[in-house]
Amino acid sequence: MPENITAPEKKKRIFSAIQPSGTITIGNYFGALRNWVKLQDDYECIFAVADLHAITVRQDPKAFKKNILEAYALFLACGIDTEKSIFFIQSHVHTHAELAWILNCYTQFGELSRMTQFKDKSAKHADNVNAGLFTYPSLMAADILLYQADLVPIGADQKQHLELARNIAERFNGIYGKTFTVPDGYIPEVGARIKSLQDPSKKMSKSDENANAWVAVLDKPETIMKKFKRAVTDSDAKVCVGEGKDGINNLIAIMSSATGKTADQITAEFEGKGYGDFKTAVGEAVVEEFRPIREKFDQLIQDKAYLEEQYRKSAEIALKISQRTFDKVMKKIGYLPR
Ligand code: ATP
Ligand code: LTN
């Protein structure tokens, strides 16, 4: 090879997944999905709808089926592109559940007991503390390790699970020799942490029982406007970032995420104006940001054949990649070849 020509650098591989549990909020979008869309050009991306994880809480079969397909269509509408990335449905690739079992046997009870998500969720669903809720992190480790992912974009709440996935990978590699890539977390610098509109000391969460606390990407424009108008603020009546102004700080963060303007620009723009005007403006900005996504979603969800073609194509590739890792694992443990 001539000296001045170097081989193109191999792109790093990314894996991430989101559960299809109900509505996707603007928090999920600004905090996770939008970053995934941007990552597609610079990394080899593999994304999944984590529907196996979703049954750790009871799901109504009809609604569940609808939610999985809608989540898939919505992510495509947001810009996940199956020409650039692999985007599949977790339950369609059988290696995930299989490797999860294997990894369960390399994960300690004590490690799983320390997971704060398990502690929180088992307190919340005290009537259904199932073993799946407990071993949830081994399935998540399987998702990641099957693809030899270098980087895993996650929110702060998933850091502990990723740390456990790294420990499992290192433990397995320690016993059997290098089998898994030990993944790093990828926490984007500009991933706004969107807070609840009703209690801005908490994060906006799609499982919040108060529907006014969150805004869904697919909420109708009039619903979005209504929710912003009801957003909890303070009595200071000055649009600027400040201490004790969690509600306004949050609305400024949302405005900034939706428009790309800085907090200073927003403050200058709303100088002398009241909270009412500001809430209306934030609502309008959010409506505009999501209008094209909603239109694209409405069109995609009508076309079941197209959606099926996309997720089947991706699942086929995902199976091939993951099977290589899975076969290696089985061989190292000492299983007979099938
Ligand atoms: P749940 O209410 O069921 O816990 P959730 O809305 O918190 O759900 P997750 O499914 O836990 O959402 O998270 C999906 C992704 O969205 C994660 O990467 C998470 O960090 C991100 N995310 C969730 N909520 C927010 C938020 N309020 N702001 C920014 N990112 C968020
Ligand atoms: N547990 C994650 C979703 C998830 C995931 C993954 C994230 C399932 N498998 C693998 C990253 C990598 C959540 O609830 N946000």
Side-chain angles (χ1 to χ4, degrees):
M1 198 192 286
E3 258 173 49
N4 55 350
I5 302 178
T6 48
E9 216 177 293
K10 199 168 171 285
K11 282 184 181 174
K12 287 201 168 177
R13 187 177 281 168
I14 277 192
F15 182 92
S16 199
I18 296 189
Q19 289 193 51
S21 40
T23 31
I24 300 295
T25 67
I26 62 168
N28 300 138
Y29 179 78
F30 290 129
L33 254 177
R34 187 163 73 171
N35 297 316
W36 290 12
V37 173
K38 286 188 204 145
L39 292 169
Q40 294 182 108
D41 292 322
D42 299 325
Y43 297 91
E44 188 189 337
C45 292
I46 305 178
F47 299 125
V49 173
D51 59 345
L52 292 174
H53 280 105
I55 62 162
T56 50
V57 297
R58 204 62 75 224
Q59 302 282 351
D60 167 68
K62 245 174 136 180
F64 189 41
K65 194 169 183 182
K66 186 163 172 269
N67 278 343
I68 298 169
L69 190 69
E70 285 188 357
Y72 193 85
L74 178 59
F75 293 7
L76 290 186
C78 288
I80 302 292
D81 180 351
T82 52
E83 294 294 316
K84 293 184 192 162
S85 309
I86 300 171
F87 178 42
F88 66 99
I89 297 173
Q90 187 189 29
S91 64
H92 290 180
V93 181
H94 59 76
T95 41
H96 290 248
E98 287 181 76
L99 185 65
W101 168 256
I102 306 281
L103 296 184
N104 268 333
C105 303
Y106 296 84
T107 310
Q108 297 302 308
F109 183 87
E111 288 177 305
L112 292 171
S113 313
R114 284 194 288 277
M115 296 293 118
T116 50
Q117 180 177 296
F118 172 69
K119 290 191 238 174
D120 292 349
K121 298 223 163 163
S122 49
K124 218 163 144 188
H125 307 279
D127 56 335
N128 184 20
V129 185
N130 58 73
L133 196 64
F134 189 62
T135 60
Y136 181 112
S138 326
L139 177 59
M140 182 162 156
D143 294 342
I144 300 165
L145 302 181
L146 277 170
Y147 299 94
Q148 309 287 353
D150 300 294
L151 296 171
V152 183
I154 38 160
D157 56 324
Q158 297 297 314
K159 261 165 118 174
Q160 209 187 12
H161 290 164
L162 183 70
E163 199 50 46
L164 182 55
R166 288 171 54 90
N167 290 343
I168 297 172
E170 277 165 358
R171 184 171 306 143
F172 198 94
N173 289 348
I175 303 172
Y176 300 104
K178 172 120 186 19
T179 312
F180 297 123
T181 301
V182 180
D184 283 312
Y186 182 94
I187 301 177
E189 317 113 58
V190 282
R193 202 95 204 115
I194 307 296
K195 300 289 178 17
S196 155
L197 295 186
Q198 291 299 311
D199 176 1
S201 65
K202 290 196 312 198
K203 77 161 191 166
M204 181 182 286
S205 171
K206 58 175 131 71
S207 55
D208 200 313
E209 275 143 30
N210 182 352
N212 284 322
W214 45 261
V215 174
V217 171
L218 293 175
D219 270 345
K220 292 195 184 72
E222 52 281 18
T223 310
I224 296 179
M225 293 307 294
K226 197 180 72 198
K227 288 181 180 177
F228 277 105
K229 281 184 185 149
R230 289 189 185 157
V232 169
T233 48
D234 52 73
S235 54
D236 183 36
K238 200 159 172 267
V239 179
C240 63
V241 176
E243 213 160 304
K245 292 169 69 79
D246 288 353
I248 286 297
N249 295 346
N250 187 38
L251 292 178
I252 291 176
I254 295 173
M255 187 69 159
S256 169
S257 294
T259 60
K261 289 179 189 163
T262 63
D264 286 344
Q265 284 170 327
I266 295 166
T267 307
E269 201 178 310
F270 287 88
E271 209 185 324
K273 294 204 180 123
Y275 283 173
D277 289 343
F278 183 54
K279 287 181 187 179
T280 303
V282 180
E284 283 167 354
V286 169
V287 167
E288 283 321 308
E289 167 86 5
F290 293 112
R291 190 185 300 282
I293 292 177
R294 201 166 27 245
E295 285 170 1
K296 184 86 192 151
F297 172 84
D298 288 342
Q299 177 205 333
L300 284 168
I301 203 70
Q302 304 295 329
D303 196 348
K304 302 275 186 297
Y306 174 80
L307 293 173
E308 212 172 278
E309 192 190 320
Q310 302 311 304
Y311 62 66
R312 286 205 171 137
K313 177 179 82 178
S314 276
E316 215 173 287
I317 309 170
L319 178 61
K320 266 197 197 134
I321 301 174
S322 62
Q323 191 78 56
R324 277 201 291 268
T325 303
F326 187 71
D327 290 349
K328 199 154 94 176
V329 167
M330 297 301 270
K331 193 170 164 197
K332 294 215 172 187
I333 296 176
Y335 283 108
L336 291 177
R338 289 179 188 180

